[in-house]
Structures are given as structure tokens and as C-alpha cells.
Amino acid sequence: MTKYVYLFSEGNGNMRELLGGKGANLAEMTNLGLPVPQGFTITTEACMRYYADNENIAEDIQEQIFEYLEKMEAITGKKFGDKANPLLVSVRSGARASMPGMMDTILNLGLNDEVAESMVKLTNNPRFVYDSYRRFIQMFSDVVMELPKHKFEEIIDELKERKNVKLDTELDTDDMKELVARFKAFYLENKGEEFPSDPKVQLLEAVKAVFRSWNNPRAITYRRLNDIPSDWGTAVNVQSMVFGNMGDNSGTGVAFTRNPSTGEKKLYGEFLMNAQGEDVVAGIRTPNPISSLQDTQPEIYKQFTEIADKLEKHYRDMQDMEFTIENGKLYMLQTRNGKRTAQAALKIAVDLVAEGMCTKEEVILKVEPKQLDSLLHPQFDPEKLKKATPVAKGLPASPGAACGQIYFTAEDAVAAAAKGQKTLLVRLETSPEDIEGMVAAEGILTARGGMTSHAAVVARGMGKCCVAGCDALKVYEKYVEIGGHRVNEGEFVSIDGSTGNVYIGVIDTVEATVSGDFATFMGWVDEIRSLKVRANADTPRDAKQALVFGAEGIGLTRTEHMFFEADRIAAVREMIVSKNVEQRRRALNKILPMQRGDFEGIFRVMRGYPVTIRLLDPPLHEFLPQEKEDIEALAKEMGLTFDELNETVKSLHEFNPMMGHRGCRLAVSYPEIAEMQTRAIIEAAINVNKEPGPKVIPEIMVPLVGDKKELQFVKNIITKTADAIIAESGTDLKYMVGTMIEIPRAAINADEIAQEAEFFSFGTNDLTQMTFGFSRDDAGKFLGDYYQNKIYEFDPFAKFDTEGTGKLLAMAAKLGRSTRPDIKLGVCGEHGGDPSSVEFFHDQGLNYVSCSPFRVPIARLAAAQTQVKNPR
Ligand code: ADP
Ligand code: MG
Ligand code: MG
């Protein structure tokens, strides 16, 4: 028979999978001999059984629960529902990973009218008993029966007002009794039945509610965002109550062994006298700092600091603890590795090594890679932020904080920045023409657009703060209204891209630094990892940023981004509307020096590192205007009639541009484009290599290949062009030609393709898109339904789909190596900066991942963590 229930004394800290984090740690603390109110844990397997049995707790599990309840009664010497010496319990959820969004805890379960009366006799403290009772009804009704919590708060507020008091502690016994009566009446009225008075019914209902909460929408969303599988389930802890609300010799609190926001090695925490459970965090009363316990209860304080110390040494990490004092006796209710800010995480990691408590390998696992992000962008000065009130909220589209004078066009923002002003670009929405304004501004605020809008995507790529889709923002010509306040051009606004908050006026920011603990820690990361990390960068500026963040090369330069620049889009358009090869060559010749200059800039920054440059990829229509007025204007500029230009625009229209005339298909139709780009790359490399310093080895990458002959065709153009230029120059420039693997057919034929390709770079965005058969731009509309129905649990564009797309990748890697054993393998999709995806790429033996510069440190840490967990 499966064992579904464990006493705390039967478990231990390694049993998280079965007992959940809270349960495993309660067991571990029990084993350490700490004062833990005893109880039992119902396993995560019981939770999964509950779902397998159509949301029922099976007979055998119920039997085990009541069997263990008896054992608990024997241990505590109290009896559930008993009149002489009643046992009250808390019912606490606890998954393997701590999960906000799960069910709230229920305290004081086991109370009813009779039990309450007998407790009055036992404790001689009727106020305490009825305070506990009213809390129980309130929590049970809210958490188990889903009656709105605020209705209960309203009843309490009404009573307080009538009694003319402010605090719960000022209510007396009769008031508490009145609350119990009114809560029960409210329950009856809304549920159509009496509040359940049988403690066993209360217990089973509470357990079911915990199981149910595993699949509430909040929990499902949280799991998706944090890579937690839905088949883990949650455990339930049933623990005998200790009471912090017994009077002024009692209390409850939380504490950290080190400061969770700075990492300082000093006990940090808060407690409240005469209070229970969540009162400390609820903010009804202002708690006292833990240090003040030293004056009021020095014995307890001493005992607590000793326990804290013991726990930290035992877990070898900063602990977050909950405790309760009942009539002058200390109880420990929870411990876990404490959540901390990125800054604190790094300080603690470095300190733990210095203190000799942990190895470098161990502390590397203690820092959450995604957390590093917050250190790489400017932040608001925390003190200044406390005093500010947001006037509106948009989407937190790109993290960091920015403060600047607002301008409403890219031109104005550029002009103001040139005068030395800090600016914010505020627009209804942004488009490619706004790029220079976005570069010049400290941050971007838009009224429209979502998390994947132009503003959001481009800002994230630049590592620039952006708040998008701020509904409360109205943009006029020379002023804006934000949440009803008028702000004129040139006045200051502050935005927080991590929260979406918008503030009027100046809030000072503090710059990111990559020195100190950060540098020390990342040094260890680089010592340990074996997977290389490159960056995706299209400009020398991005490349410099990438180097600062520790990139070891460029894995993807998107040449088309250079085509949009204001000074060359005209030549690009001329190239597109050309009617014959000669015309097209003429236009390409105008672009050539600019492209060469771009590449020289990047090569100069990246001397000694590999740089992969991708040939033109997007369909050509993206470079032409689509609106009638814009077409008219452009026609005039180019000396064409509207009809002529409109004809070209129409002819380039594609039904499914992502699967249309793009990638290497462009080079098949217009070889002269690939020729020009190759010339620009090779000439740039030759020029830069003439200068002193390490040599550049360009890697020319052909996108969207699906067949060996296709690659051969384009490669031919590349090598013919390149070899001629090199021969003519009299130098011996080395260069490589490789391909992206982003079409399933390429993965399937990777052995053949590898005969022509010196490297593969997995374009996991397109590969995902093509493997699933859904487009990245439209998937958002229906993925929600897939999450709800648990068909897909993750957004495959954010977290690499190891089960499907991953098989293609693994196969392509294997096939590629079979015909070219030394083939270089990398990833250049967005997944290259996603920690759990990085783990998969490491396990597949890839050489490197490449991601946007701001994700480089994240990828470095993720790679090191994987190396520690699964060395290769
Ligand atoms: P959360 O995960 O939200 O912190 P917990 O299960 O830890 O939920 O409990 C919420 C609060 O109730 C905490 O302050 C905890 O210390 C307190 N609590 C839980 N169980 C008991 C108990 N048996 N006796 C006294 N207080 C308890
Ligand atoms: Mg809670
Ligand atoms: Mg807790």
C-alpha cells in the first residue's frame, strides 16, 4: 500500500518531491531537535491521486489521514474536537518549489461552539478563544468556501467604527463573540447551509481545497512563468496550533538570517506581540524590528538567534524563518532558503565562499540567473522611489528605470539629447523610423502596443527601459495627459520598465555596475562553465555592450537592421524597385560602402573574437511603405509614378511572409545582393586586419536553408566573390561559411547540408515556429487556451520546446557531426538567453549560445549552473 502521509518525525529535508518544501523543512527542523509544533504531511502523490480520482480523496487516503491524526493526538496529548483538551491545527499548502498563488493557510481548524467553550475554561482567556474562532471562520470561508474576504473585513470595520476603535486588539471578548455570530450568519445566508461544525469535515474540506488550489489560474500562470511542471502536485501540512495571540507574552514574526535586500550579515526581521500568523505581513499593525525582542524577551531572543545560526549553518544558505511565541515559549514554524534581491544574492554568495561555508560551485547554484537582469539596467534610487506615487501603469515591457524630459517625436528627442538633455520618447506607438529617437532617449513610453510591440522588442534588444501600452496616456501634439494630469513637452517624467509604473517629475536613478561582488561572482561562473556565450548584435554599440557583459563573440549580426537606417533606406528601396540587374547593382553599389563601414565597426570592437554575419533575411516588402500617402510620397521622391511604385508594392505582397520570399531565397533570385554583402564583409575584414591587433575571422551565415543544393548555390556566390577579393588584396584572410538550421527539412537533411556548412547556427525562433506550425506573431491569441487546457504548459517561443523541436535539434546536431565531426554548433534564437533552454543546449553538446547583450550574463550563469549539475 502506498504511504500517503508522513509524520514530521518520519521525513527529512531531502524529501521535497514527496513532502513539498515546507513539509520537508518542518521534518528537517524536527530532526534537528528544534521546537516545532508537531503534525503530519500529506504527500504530493496524494494530490496527483486526487486528480486521477476525479477530484476525490480516495478512501484509503482518508483512512491514512485519520490514522495519522490519531498519532498526532498521541504526540500532543490533545484530541481533535475534544471537549476536555481540544487539538487545533493549521492546514498549510506546500509545493516542491515555493509558489505564491497557491492556497492560503487556514489556522485554528477544529473549532466549533463547544470546543470554544471548553477552551475558555482551559485557558481562562475568552478573548483569545473567540479571536481565534472568528479568524478561523473568516479564513475557512474565504479559502475553502470562496466567500469574498473583504465582506468579512467590512463586518469588522463596521464593528470597529461603532465601538470607535482603530485596532483589532482593541476589540474585547464580546466583540469577538459578536463577530463569530455575524460571520456564521453571513455564511448561512450565502451558502444556504450552516458553517461546518464537525472538525473532521473541516479538515477534509481544507485538504481538498489545497489540492484544488494547485490548478487555480494564478498557480497555472505562476508555473508557466517559472518552469514548474504541472505534474508535481502540492503537499498538505497539518500542524498543531501554537498561539501568538494569547496575550502580551505571546507573538509571531518572520526573520532572515541575513538582510534579504542588501545581503548584510545581520539578523533581519519583524514581529508583533499578541498576534497570529499573517498579521505581520498584512500591515494592519506596524510590526517591531526583531532586535527589540532583545529588550522585551532577552531569553527568547537569545534562543532564536542560536536557532537561526544553526539553521543557516545546516542549510548553508540564508534562511527565511517563521516563528511564534506562545506564553513565553518559542516555536519554529517554517524555514527555507530566503528569497533575496539580486544584489543581496551576489553578496551572500561571495560572503558564503569567503566564510568557508560553501564552495564556488555551490554558491553558483544559489543565484537565480534571470535575477541578474535587474543589475544590468539603471534603477530608481530606492529611497527616492519610496516617496513617489505612480500616476499610471502600463506594461513592464523592458526592465530598468528612466527619467527624462518628454518629447513626442524621434527627431525632437534626438535634438534634445544632442543638447545634453536626458529625454524620454513618448509616442502612441513606435515604428522602425523611431529607432534613432529610441537610441537617444533614456527610455520609451507608449500608449498602445503589448509586450511584443515594436517598442517593447526593440527596447529589450537595446537594454533600454520601456513601458508600453499605457492606456491612461493620451498623446497630443505638444503635451500629454497621463492619468488625467497634463504634462508639457520638455517636462520630466519617470518610468519603471520593471513594474510598468509611470511617475510625473524627477526620480533619480542609479547606474548599473558590473564590478564588485558581481565581477567576482561572474569570474567564478566563467571558470566553471564549458558552454560559450556570444551575443546577437547589429551595431558596434551593441557589440561593445556585449563585451562589457562578457560575450565571447557575436553569434548573429542581422544585416537588415542596418538597411533601415535613415541614410540608406532610400538606396535599399531603389534596389528593391529596380527593374533589372544593372539598376539593382547600381543601387547595391550605393549600399556597399555603408555596409562595409558597419562591418568594420563591429570587427574593430570584436577583434580576436568570432563574428557571425547573416545575409539579408526578411522579405523585401518590409522595406517599402504600405499606406497610400506614404507610397505617394516615396514615389515622388524616387521619380516614379504612384502606379509604378504601387505595382511593386502589390507584387511583393505575400500571403504568409514568414514562409515567403526571404532568407537564402532572396539570394537565389537576386544573387547580386549576396555578392554585395559578401564583398562588404570581406573587404571590411581585410581593412581591419591591416590594423595592428588580433585578426578577425568572419563567419558568413546563410539563412533559411532547407537543402544542400540551395546552400551550395549561395555558397558559390560567396566563395567566388570572397576568394577573388582576397586574392586581389594579397592577404590570406580566413573566413567561414555556414548555415542556419531553422527549417525542419534542414534538420532532417543535416548530414548532407553539413558537407557544405562549416557551422550550424540553430535559429530556434523560426525552427520553433515551423515545427509547431504556428506563427510567433499570432500564437499569443490562442496559447492561453492551450495553457488552460494543459495541452501546452509553456510558451515555446520563450522556453525552448525540448520534447518536439528539441528532437529535431538533437538529430541535426548528430547528423551534422556524422559528416563533419568538427562542425561548430550554436544557437542564435531568443532561447539562447533563457536559463532552462540553455541547460538543454549544454546537454546537447553545442559549442555556444548567442543572445541579446543584456542576457549574456544570464546565459553565462545558466551555463555554469548546468555544468555543475551535469558536467560535460
Ligand atoms: P505562507 O506560505 O503563506 O507563509 P504558511 O503556511 O507558512 O503560509 O502560514 C501562514 C502563517 O500562519 C505564517 O505566519 C505561519 O507562521 C502561521 N502558522 C502556520 N501554521 C501555524 C501553526 N500551526 N501555529 C501557529 N501559526 C501557524
Ligand atoms: Mg499565505
Ligand atoms: Mg510561510
Side-chain angles (χ1 to χ4, degrees), residues 22 90 92 105 107 239-242 277-278 322 333-334:
K22 203 177 280 170
S90 65
R92 319 171 67 184
T105 295
L107 302 178
Q239 185 173 29
S240 99
M241 282 301 301
V242 287
E278 311 252 287
E322 291 173 4
L333 289 165
Q334 186 171 332

Side-chain angles (χ1 to χ4, degrees), residues 673-724:
I673 299 180
E675 205 181 296
M676 180 282 286
Q677 292 201 292
T678 303
R679 178 171 286 278
I681 295 167
I682 297 296
E683 289 179 352
I686 291 173
N687 290 345
V688 173
N689 279 351
K690 279 185 201 146
E691 300 160 15
K695 300 287 176 238
V696 176
I697 303 182
E699 301 178 350
I700 302 177
M701 178 157 79
V702 184
L704 224 71
V705 163
D707 192 277
K708 178 181 160 185
K709 289 205 211 90
E710 204 178 17
L711 176 59
Q712 260 170 347
F713 181 90
V714 184
K715 189 178 168 186
N716 231 337
I717 304 168
I718 296 170
T719 49
K720 244 169 72 188
T721 312
D723 294 346

